[in-house]
Amino acid sequence: MTATKSPVLEATGLSKHFTVRGRGTARHAVVHAVDDVSLALFAGEVTALVGESGSGKSTVARLLAQLMPATSGVIRLRGEEITVRRGKRFRAYVRSVQLMLQDPFGSFNPVQTIGGTLRRVLRMHGRDNAEITETVDRLLTEVNLTPPAQYAGRFPHELSGGQRQRISIARALAVNPDVLLADEPVSMLDVSIRLGVLNLLAKLAAERALALLYITHDIASARYFATTTVVMYAGRMVEGGPSEVVTQQPAHPYTQLLVASAPDPGRPLAPVPPGGLGAPPSLIDPPQGCRFHPRCPLALPKCTTEVPPKFTLAGTNGHWAACWLHEKSES
């Protein structure tokens, strides 16, 4: 059980606000991109961060990767609070925490071969020239691109989307990280090859004892792929727990709508309330109380004024929901 283990990477109370500048905006307008996010990643386990576009998932990944400063909150690596910006400390942090981007084509130098890209990473992190070629071959084999020589000499445009994403995985693994932050790693791939990439990531997480954060808008894949699922809405965490429980017994109305929106040929379409659910809220002027209440079909008067805390649900193994509907059912 993860409760008896120490997290490899942990965020507590993480928030990120962006100041808006430009014509037509208030002088001190602020985008509340992420508010009070707490997350723990454990060795050998996959944690899914789920939510619709604009919910703050990618911002969380960039904060954990230390690519931008947090407005508030704490990030701990192996229990040690850490803040890095540049230089040797940042490079040392990157060796432990790797970020894998959504668009594999856009993340590569188009005029450098795959072998050249991997060799450059290894040189930057102090690998001996004598072992670089052997390491490149091993990495390509590990992500199922064989024979290695056939791929090392190619350019990114000569590979398929799935092959490029496997190269992205190999590049991240080149420095033997402890944490891999995978931001929508299969959303730009054909449906037919997504499963192969997810299976590869799961296999690597188990074999290398990687703490893997899987960011996705597809809650169905979270159930299949992740040990733990956390759901975000409009910059806040609204539900979390074991993936099987969160996806099969969703407690928050937003999670219930996410699950209902996932394609299922054996399930009739869920009825949509008259007028629909409305648009997502503005993060410059987010709603008071629960941010989902303007779209929630079950909203209580309390939801419009008070931010709900996390309520641990009775009879569950760590399942929680930030929803006033569960105030009296807390274990």
Side-chain angles (χ1 to χ4, degrees):
M1 300 298 297
T2 57
T4 63
K5 300 196 312 192
S6 297
V8 180
L9 187 67
E10 182 180 22
T12 305
L14 206 59
S15 296
K16 180 62 180 178
H17 300 162
F18 296 97
T19 301
V20 180
R21 296 181 176 86
R23 293 182 179 181
T25 59
R27 184 175 181 181
H28 300 294
V30 171
V31 175
H32 297 254
V34 171
D35 270 320
D36 195 25
V37 165
S38 296
L39 198 64
L41 306 179
F42 296 88
E45 295 188 10
V46 180
T47 299
L49 188 59
V50 181
E52 62 190 323
S53 297
S55 60
K57 309 184 302 297
S58 294
T59 301
V60 169
R62 281 155 177 75
L63 291 171
L64 292 176
Q66 304 265 351
L67 296 182
M68 61 175 69
T71 302
S72 61
V74 173
I75 296 173
R76 294 183 179 88
L77 180 61
R78 302 185 199 90
E80 179 183 351
E81 184 176 337
I82 188 165
T83 301
V84 296
R85 293 291 175 265
R86 58 183 66 88
K88 291 182 179 179
R89 291 193 71 223
F90 178 72
R91 186 165 295 179
Y93 184 83
V94 168
R95 277 196 290 270
S96 291
V97 182
Q98 280 282 304
L99 175 63
M100 186 176 146
L101 299 173
Q102 178 178 358
D103 180 6
F105 187 72
S107 66
F108 287 107
N109 184 341
V111 297
Q112 190 168 52
T113 64
I114 298 306
T117 295
L118 296 176
R119 285 192 291 271
R120 181 173 182 271
V121 172
L122 293 166
R123 282 195 297 268
M124 286 177 61
H125 289 276
R127 289 298 185 91
D128 190 292
N129 286 332
E131 64 174 331
I132 284 180
T133 299
E134 179 182 343
T135 303
V136 169
D137 288 350
R138 177 176 55 78
L139 287 169
L140 291 174
T141 301
E142 196 169 8
V143 297
N144 299 328
L145 293 178
T146 55
Q150 178 179 328
Y151 294 93
R154 294 187 182 182
F155 292 90
H157 71 273
E158 297 178 305
L159 301 176
S160 69
Q163 290 170 339
R164 284 193 291 264
Q165 198 60 290
R166 288 172 185 269
I167 298 296
S168 295
I169 297 170
R171 180 173 57 183
L173 297 179
V175 293
N176 293 318
D178 299 311
V179 180
L180 180 59
L181 311 172
D183 188 2
E184 298 275 12
V186 297
S187 64
M188 298 190 71
L189 305 181
D190 291 342
V191 174
S192 60
I193 59 177
R194 290 180 183 179
L195 184 59
V197 173
L198 289 179
N199 283 336
L200 173 62
L201 285 170
K203 175 175 175 286
L204 293 170
E207 292 179 351
R208 285 175 166 255
L210 276 171
L212 177 58
L213 179 65
Y214 170 54
I215 294 174
T216 182
H217 60 270
D218 179 13
I219 196 167
S221 68
R223 177 194 177 192
Y224 164 78
F225 182 52
T227 306
T228 302
T229 292
V230 177
V231 181
M232 283 190 72
Y233 178 77
R236 289 189 178 275
M237 300 169 65
V238 298
E239 186 170 355
S243 294
E244 185 70 19
V245 178
V246 171
T247 56
Q248 297 304 295
Q249 303 171 42
H252 195 283
Y254 175 64
T255 311
Q256 293 169 4
L257 290 170
L258 276 183
V259 172
S261 69
D264 184 349
R267 182 184 62 210
L269 292 175
V272 178
L277 295 172
S282 166
L283 295 183
I284 295 178
D285 184 23
Q288 295 296 312
C290 175
R291 290 185 178 175
F292 187 60
H293 84 257
R295 305 172 74 188
C296 181
L298 304 174
L300 304 172
K302 194 174 187 177
C303 301
T304 65
T305 57
E306 298 182 44
V307 177
K310 295 179 181 179
F311 295 109
T312 303
L313 305 182
T316 64
N317 183 19
H319 186 197
W320 59 266
C323 178
W324 287 117
L325 293 171
H326 300 286
E327 182 176 14
K328 296 181 180 179
S329 64
E330 186 173 21
S331 60

